[in-house]
Amino acid sequence: MVEHALNPTRQSFHEHCAAGMVYVVGRAVTRLCVPCTVRIFTVAMADALSKVPDAEVDPEGTFKYILVRIKVKDGTEYKDIVRGTKSAGQYHNHIFEKVTPPITALGLECNCLGGGKIEHNSKDKKLRVFGESTGYGKADHSVSVEKLKSVFKDYEITWSDDKE
């Protein structure tokens, strides 16, 4: 039995896991409940995924972008995100180099799925996704557009396989 004041029903050690309850004790715990620990860790990592915005792009102009898959380390939960900026210069990998540190600081992994370009006209509320990355290949623009639509809800957003 787990014996402490917060377990008034005196459930066995793992019955409280099945009931979805985690108890905190004021003394040293002599046994570690792995299912509870894994559940808490998974919830925390899923929470970390939800804190990462779906899309972040420059407010105006034509620039390179990448589609990145972020995922829980050693887990199956993941999320795709879009990042685009003029400051990338000539190469898509410069965007990936900027994205990676804050993502890994959250305890997540990231992998670039491909890239392209975005033409952003904030005055007319239009985004156009096109092109490809020489280093990462072409991103799935349809996925990128869905991510952009979740952020730019009142925009007209289109995509094509055109190079320019």
Side-chain angles (χ1 to χ4, degrees), residues 124-141:
D124 295 336
K125 294 190 174 190
K126 291 184 179 183
L127 288 166
R128 182 173 76 100
V129 179
F130 63 99
E132 64 184 48
S133 164
T134 303
Y136 294 121
K138 185 178 87 63
D140 184 338
H141 296 325

Side-chain angles (χ1 to χ4, degrees), residues 47-100:
D47 189 44
L49 281 173
S50 70
K51 289 182 193 254
V52 179
D54 285 351
E56 290 180 343
V57 299
D58 281 355
E60 192 69 37
T62 301
F63 44 85
K64 296 179 184 311
Y65 92 92
I66 57 174
L67 179 63
V68 179
R69 175 156 296 161
I70 59 173
K71 74 180 233 30
V72 173
K73 286 184 182 178
D74 302 321
T76 57
E77 298 86 10
Y78 70 89
K79 173 180 178 174
D80 294 337
I81 61 172
V82 171
R83 296 295 183 267
T85 181
K86 290 181 209 172
S87 68
Q90 288 184 284
Y91 304 106
H92 288 86
N93 70 313
H94 292 156
I95 303 171
F96 190 68
E97 289 168 1
K98 287 174 79 173
V99 168
T100 303

Side-chain angles (χ1 to χ4, degrees), residues 8-75:
T9 59
R10 294 203 167 290
Q11 296 167 311
S12 73
F13 191 68
H14 290 285
E15 284 176 49
H16 74 274
C17 294
M21 295 178 279
V22 177
Y23 298 106
V24 178
V25 292
R27 60 182 182 184
V29 177
T30 57
R31 294 194 292 175
L32 175 65
C33 181
V34 174
C36 282
T37 304
V38 170
R39 183 178 13 218
I40 292 167
F41 178 75
T42 303
V43 168
M45 290 291 96
D47 189 44
L49 281 173
S50 70
K51 289 182 193 254
V52 179
D54 285 351
E56 290 180 343
V57 299
D58 281 355
E60 192 69 37
T62 301
F63 44 85
K64 296 179 184 311
Y65 92 92
I66 57 174
L67 179 63
V68 179
R69 175 156 296 161
I70 59 173
K71 74 180 233 30
V72 173
K73 286 184 182 178
D74 302 321

Side-chain angles (χ1 to χ4, degrees), residues 144-160:
S144 302
V145 164
E146 290 309 309
K147 294 297 171 179
L148 289 164
K149 283 180 178 179
S150 72
V151 174
F152 297 92
K153 296 179 186 338
D154 58 343
Y155 268 59
E156 176 186 327
I157 305 174
T158 59
W159 69 271
S160 73

